[in-house]
Amino acid sequence: MTLFERVFGGNDAVYGLTEAAVDAAIAANGEEKAVSFPDTAYALPCYYAVTGAKVTNLKEMKEALGVVKSLMTRENQLNDVFMSGVATALCAEFIEAIKYIDGAKPYDEPCYGHLSDAIIRELGVPLVTGDIPGVAVILGSAPTAQEGVDLVKSYQAQGILVTLVGGIIDQCQELGYKTGANVRVIPLGKDVTSVIHAVSVAIRAALIFGNVTAGDAGALMTYTKDRVPAFVNAFAPLDDVIVACGAGAIALGFPVITNDDKDVPAIPKSLIIQKDVSKFNATSLEARDIKIKITNIDIPVAFASAFEGEIIRRGDMQVEFDGSRVDCCELVQTKDASEVEDHKIELIGPDIDEFEVGSKHSIAYVVEVAGKSMQPDFEPVFERKFHSYLNCIEGVMHTGQRDMIRIRVSKEAFNAGFRAKHFGEVLYAQVKNEFEAVVDKCQVKIYTNPEDCTKIRHEIAIPVFDKRDERLSTMTDESVPVYYSCIMCQAFSPSHVCVVTPERLGLCGAVSWLDAKATNELDPNGPCQVITKEKVIDERIGEYEDVNEAVRKLSQGALDDVSLYSIMEKPMTSCGCFECICGIEPFSNGVCIANREYAGMTPLGMTFSELASMTGGGVQTPGFMGHGKHFIASKKFMKAEGGVARIVWMPKELKEQVAEKLNETAKELYGIDNFTDMIGDETIAEDPETLVAFLTEKGHPALGMDPMM
Ligand code: SF4
Ligand code: NI
Ligand code: NI
């Protein structure tokens, strides 16, 4: 059989199954029955992106099948093959959507099925920084379970996000291999149609970050091809359905690598036959042109960003260092070059093997650096990275920062030979790696004697932290000479620019003014550029001629002017990876804020995902603004519209996180005590009427302010 015949045959088969499934669902539920995936604002995202139409019930799905059919042309051109591939993918999406009717939960552990918009937004920053250099979709069963697991592990060790479909999931389970979103190995489902949940991620990335207009299939395919570094590994034997799905993947620009050499002709760069499964990794990376940053660190366990979210349970831990019980801290100090011996790692105190299994201890590690261009302002920037560095060690979990840290070392890591000095190896290697432009020499001292830790924490670290906080709290937009741009997210949002100021951090929450400053000095031609702010246009909304010029240039002309402090007038754009989204609530003259973790409803009648879909892709959308959590307590938050007094609602958990700082700001700006008590949350109201009644009772200041529109 030819490739054409196989794709068309597979496509026809899936279409037949889909038609039957839709008819059966209509017979069982009636045409009006709603269909949707949970936690997405894009209905059936693939169908929506390709056609521009949102399928919301079975009747519309039945009609949509007609549209799908129109893609299934049979002219024996390559384009027919690709469009039949796309049609197959859309059919798979319908079949999967039907599984979710009536809020059903069709997937059980370890499978995930459909992935939420929030998960995709969370992937934004790691994808642009290259922390996640690619996305692998592994389909079918490897020749042996061990080969399957080895392949998964090889990607995981490179930080590549792995999704699994079909037999490979059983193979991972068989060998007890840990999977889950937190270790970036995501089993989607065992039916081949569940592959659509991976496709859906790539497609929603185009809608969320790329500002691709739904229905513009050409722009969609260009976006996924150019910007989503995904590829497929499909194990033999490939049946026609898988071949048809593969054609869909290729249409989106994702190469398919397979070890099946029967009946499938190779297509250069697109359909690649690699009979040796142990070479899938190398072949895939080459086909998708993915480059892996290699970090060689001398430790006995793996080191990869995929392990960052790994959880170590009490029963699995060898030892724990717990800053909430005993004195612990982590600190960076700038020293004179003569005081630092490069790569000296010193352990002062007992090592991990002298501790009882499961016991709690003190630890303090001080990273001393020297360099001609080193500035004390960079110390907190390095320090904040420690959390990620130590977490990337397989078998080590790190939470918190400064003197409130907790570190667990697993029994497995301990048995592999992991010891205290290895913390030093990791910190040394990563600091040198990432900050080599300013760090000439680096040494690490690790203390494990309780008396030493107490002394370092109280006598050295805390005074340093206090001094830094003091500097940060007095640092205002007015007190610094320049701002910085960040265009890291342009990899996915080609026209998006963040303007980062001391009082307004990047919307991802990961880039403060100090971070941007450090990034600029480390890499003067990199993503963060100096922006002067000498030519004021309008103080009230924070508009400057020089900021506008910079934004115009950095957005390649997509953006003309931008304000720093207004949500209504020329607001800053969003890429898509924002921590929070705020939108105006017309009945109270206020705004509601939802954070990415919040899955419930807001009084705007929209969930986080739905609100988030109102903005993004580097486009200005008055009335909606993506922002970082820390921006909520800023005196510059919506300053043009009256400031934080406009906040009328946010999820309870978020409110608790920001309460202390927000209350301080409100006290200072308006003389209000305990302002957060006046702000609604989901336990108080999820609709505008109840919210306004609550705000009225509390005398919330927004009610007396001018309407925003
Ligand atoms: Fe992306 Fe803005 Fe964060 Fe930079 S500061 S990484 S552009 S969201
Ligand atoms: Ni103490
Ligand atoms: Ni972003």
Side-chain angles (χ1 to χ4, degrees), residues 539-560:
E539 194 104 32
R540 186 182 59 90
I541 62 170
E543 191 186 5
Y544 299 82
E545 215 171 295
D546 20 9
V547 174
N548 283 345
E549 265 163 40
V551 162
R552 223 169 283 150
K553 180 166 153 246
L554 293 167
S555 70
Q556 286 91 35
L559 214 63
D560 269 335

Side-chain angles (χ1 to χ4, degrees), residues 262-275:
K262 293 187 197 75
D263 280 346
V264 264
I267 305 173
K269 294 224 107 193
S270 294
L271 181 55
I272 299 164
I273 295 165
Q274 171 55 267
K275 283 163 76 176

